[in-house]
């Protein structure tokens, strides 16, 4: 499916709607011999990529980078490019999971604290009857565990791997091991499993509509305040790039 990309501080982000992103994801899962990665790029991830060259390279080699965050959409518009809407990673995953039973997709949840992926699996099974979640694995592991994790996921043979390891760990892990596990599509989703499991609440709808979800997360999780400082730096950097 043809769509334009917008270069935001060196990261090529798709100018795409949610419906189009879901369509792309379905196409990737139908590619049995493919190894597709969808990255969900918010302002924090893009800022990280400005000084983490390996992350930037992974993002620019991904099959699709969606604009996950009001800041990303703002940046595209500020740079005089079209960006139709925000494609939040959480919402993208829910749309894919909603279609999964009718399309007979096999899904694996990987990441978050012990017990969270199992709770997310239970929640998904209640919300999307008939969904086939073929495995779960928490995100607490060391380098020596990687071989075992790869074997576990490969044996489960999912069409879709949902990886919630945080940025940039999830992107780097997927880039390193996706071919070994043989999954057609992997998506790095940050805190999505925590929200699905009910561990972390989603912002109220009015805050989502007002593009204030980042503020809600900061108020709910004070430890994120330092990370949110990337936002004003992002704004200044994007503005400077427009002038140059």
């Amino acid at each position: 499916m043809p769509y334009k990309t917008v270069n935001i501080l060196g990261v090529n982000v798709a100018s795409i709607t949610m419906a189009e992103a879901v369509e792309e994801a379905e196409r990737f899962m139908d590619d049995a011999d493919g190894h597709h990665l969808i990255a969900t790029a918010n302002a924090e991830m893009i800022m990280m990529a400005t000084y983490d060259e390996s992350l930037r390279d992974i993002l620019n080699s991904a099959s699709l980078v969606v604009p996950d965050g009001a800041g990303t959409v703002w940046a595209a518009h500020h740079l005089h490019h079209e960006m139709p809407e925000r494609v939040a990673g959480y919402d993208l995953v829910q749309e894919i999971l909603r279609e999964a039973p009718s399309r007979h997709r096999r899904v694996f949840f990987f990441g978050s604290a012990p017990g969270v992926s199992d709770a997310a699996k239970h929640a998904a099974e209640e919300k999307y009857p008939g969904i086939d979640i073929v495995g779960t694995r928490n995100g607490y592991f060391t380098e020596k565990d990687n071989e075992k994790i790869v074997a576990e996921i490969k044996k489960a043979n999912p069409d879709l791997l949902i990886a919630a390891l945080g940025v940039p760990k999830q992107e780097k892990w997927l880039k390193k091991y996706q071919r070994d596990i043989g999954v057609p599509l992997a998506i790095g989703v940050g805190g999505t499993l925590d929200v699905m499991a009910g561990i972390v609440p989603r912002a109220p709808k009015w805050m989502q509509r007002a593009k204030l979800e980042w503020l809600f997360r900061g108020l709910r999780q004070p430890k994120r305040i330092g990370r949110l400082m990337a936002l004003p730096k992002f704004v200044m950097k994007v503005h400077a790039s427009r002038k140059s």
Side-chain angles (χ1 to χ4, degrees):
M1 180 180 65
Y3 53 83
K4 295 180 180 179
T5 60
V6 178
N7 187 298
I8 303 175
L9 303 182
V11 175
N12 296 316
V13 183
S15 178
I16 197 169
T17 66
M18 176 65 76
E20 291 168 339
V22 172
E23 186 180 336
E24 281 291 83
E26 297 293 350
R27 185 174 68 83
F28 295 154
M29 285 185 283
D30 286 335
D31 182 9
D33 297 322
H35 305 92
H36 298 280
L37 171 64
I38 293 180
T40 55
N42 57 17
E44 185 182 353
M45 178 188 281
I46 293 173
M47 276 298 293
M48 197 177 296
T50 63
Y51 56 82
D52 186 334
E53 186 177 353
S54 64
L55 174 61
R56 185 170 67 249
D57 289 345
I58 290 169
L59 296 179
N60 287 332
S61 65
S63 297
L64 179 64
V65 179
V66 298
D68 177 7
T72 308
V73 176
W74 168 84
H77 293 166
H78 195 66
L79 296 170
H80 306 297
H81 294 286
E82 181 183 355
M83 185 75 74
E85 63 179 332
R86 175 191 178 201
V87 180
Y90 175 87
D91 295 325
L92 175 60
V93 167
Q94 302 316 302
E95 292 299 320
I96 296 170
L97 295 182
R98 184 174 290 109
E99 295 293 322
S102 63
R103 294 176 179 266
H104 307 290
R105 304 298 191 192
R106 296 166 58 85
V107 185
F108 195 106
F109 288 168
F110 174 33
S112 296
V116 172
S117 59
D118 291 325
K121 175 179 183 289
H122 178 70
E125 288 170 342
E126 286 197 336
K127 191 173 183 179
Y128 309 115
I131 194 168
D132 189 9
I133 301 175
V134 295
T136 63
R137 204 320 177 161
N138 69 63
Y140 283 49
F141 60 93
T142 62
E143 185 69 28
K144 63 180 175 59
D145 298 315
N146 282 324
E147 186 176 339
K148 181 180 179 182
I149 295 169
V150 168
E152 182 181 348
I153 298 173
K154 186 174 183 179
K155 183 178 180 180
N157 191 32
D159 303 301
L160 171 64
L161 173 62
I162 301 295
L165 304 175
V167 180
K169 183 177 180 179
Q170 61 199 17
E171 287 75 24
K172 293 184 178 183
W173 195 95
L174 291 171
K175 181 66 174 180
K176 185 174 182 179
Y177 293 109
Q178 193 175 0
R179 287 187 177 275
D180 294 333
I181 58 181
V183 63
L185 174 61
I187 307 178
V189 297
T192 289
L193 294 183
D194 293 300
V195 177
M196 290 180 65
I199 306 298
V200 176
R202 188 92 191 271
K205 290 290 186 182
W206 72 266
M207 292 192 83
Q208 295 179 43
R209 288 193 295 268
K211 302 179 176 61
L212 292 173
E213 196 164 8
W214 61 272
L215 178 60
F216 178 83
R217 290 197 298 267
L219 294 172
R220 292 286 306 189
Q221 299 172 282
K223 66 181 181 179
R224 291 180 60 96
I225 294 296
R227 292 165 58 185
L228 292 177
M229 290 307 295
L231 291 173
K233 294 178 182 177
F234 175 76
V235 169
M236 290 186 290
K237 206 169 184 69
V238 169
H239 189 64
S241 74
R242 186 174 74 162
K243 291 181 177 180
S244 61

